[in-house]
């Protein structure tokens, strides 16, 4: 009888300990929170510039953002610009209808052209991360004919 009671007590104690351990792990951050986001972005074009620009050029962005390391990895492609790229930036904070200052510069490719691509990495601050994850950043590609930006697209992280 004594062994039976000890066995039941042990089983009960083991069950309670397992529940407590699981609860503590959740408090320590093992809560299933997403840490890596896919950067899909919106296609860039002149109509999304502020003010809008008449151009047939387009652009796309893809990549990832890791909120544990605050690292943004991106690839931007563009085609049909009025001339070679003269500057590229991430801007924010701004919604789709607002212009904003430069948040992070994008290094130009070795041979800037009217069509091309660039791949890069940027480490963001906590404020920049919040803006990025709330879709308050856009990417902007500038040319000599359109120094304020020829094409623009909002950055979307999912």
């Amino acid at each position: 009888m004594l062994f039976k009671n000890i066995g039941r007590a042990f089983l009960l104690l083991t069950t309670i300990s397992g529940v407590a351990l699981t609860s503590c792990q959740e408090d320590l951050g093992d809560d299933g929170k997403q840490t890596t986001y896919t950067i899909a972005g919106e296609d860039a074009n002149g109509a999304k510039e502020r003010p809008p620009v008449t151009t047939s050029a387009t652009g796309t962005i893809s990549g990832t953002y890791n909120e544990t390391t605050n690292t943004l990895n991106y690839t931007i492609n563009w085609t049909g610009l009025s001339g070679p790229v003269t500057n590229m930036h991430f801007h924010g904070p701004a919604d789709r209808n607002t212009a904003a200052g430069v948040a992070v510069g994008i290094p130009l490719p070795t041979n800037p052209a009217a069509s091309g691509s660039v791949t890069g990495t940027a480490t963001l601050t906590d404020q920049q991360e919040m803006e990025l994850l709330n879709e308050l950043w856009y990417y902007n590609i500038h040319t000599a004919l359109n120094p304020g930006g020829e094409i623009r697209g909002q950055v979307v992280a999912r």
Side-chain angles (χ1 to χ4, degrees):
M1 179 80 142
L2 180 60
F3 286 114
K4 196 181 240 183
N5 288 337
I6 291 174
R8 285 182 183 156
F10 180 75
L11 180 61
L12 179 62
L13 183 59
T14 304
T15 302
I16 291 170
S17 297
V19 169
L21 182 58
T22 300
S23 295
C24 289
Q25 286 175 332
E26 288 177 7
D27 291 341
L28 292 174
D30 187 15
D31 58 1
K33 183 178 177 190
Q34 181 176 349
T35 58
T36 302
Y37 296 81
T38 299
I39 302 299
E42 296 177 351
D43 291 347
N45 60 50
K48 293 177 183 169
E49 281 291 347
R50 296 297 172 253
V53 171
T54 301
T55 181
S56 60
T58 60
T60 60
I61 186 170
S62 61
T64 60
Y65 179 71
N66 183 308
E67 69 179 343
T68 302
T69 61
N70 292 66
T71 305
L72 173 64
N73 295 297
Y74 58 87
T75 298
I76 299 172
N77 299 290
W78 64 92
T79 187
L81 294 172
S82 62
V85 174
T86 58
N87 232 327
M88 300 169 59
H89 308 100
F90 289 105
H91 292 257
D95 62 23
R96 286 162 178 78
N97 296 308
T98 308
V102 173
V104 173
I106 300 169
L108 291 176
T110 306
N111 296 310
S115 296
S117 69
V118 66
T119 297
T121 300
T123 302
L124 307 187
T125 66
D126 290 341
Q127 178 66 33
Q128 290 171 328
E129 174 185 284
M130 187 273 309
E131 294 166 0
L132 175 77
L133 297 179
N134 285 292
E135 298 183 16
L136 295 175
W137 269 24
Y138 61 92
Y139 62 107
N140 200 7
I141 300 177
H142 306 258
T143 61
L145 186 61
N146 296 287
E150 185 162 334
I151 59 174
R152 166 187 169 158
Q154 208 74 13
V155 179
V156 178
R158 302 213 192 275

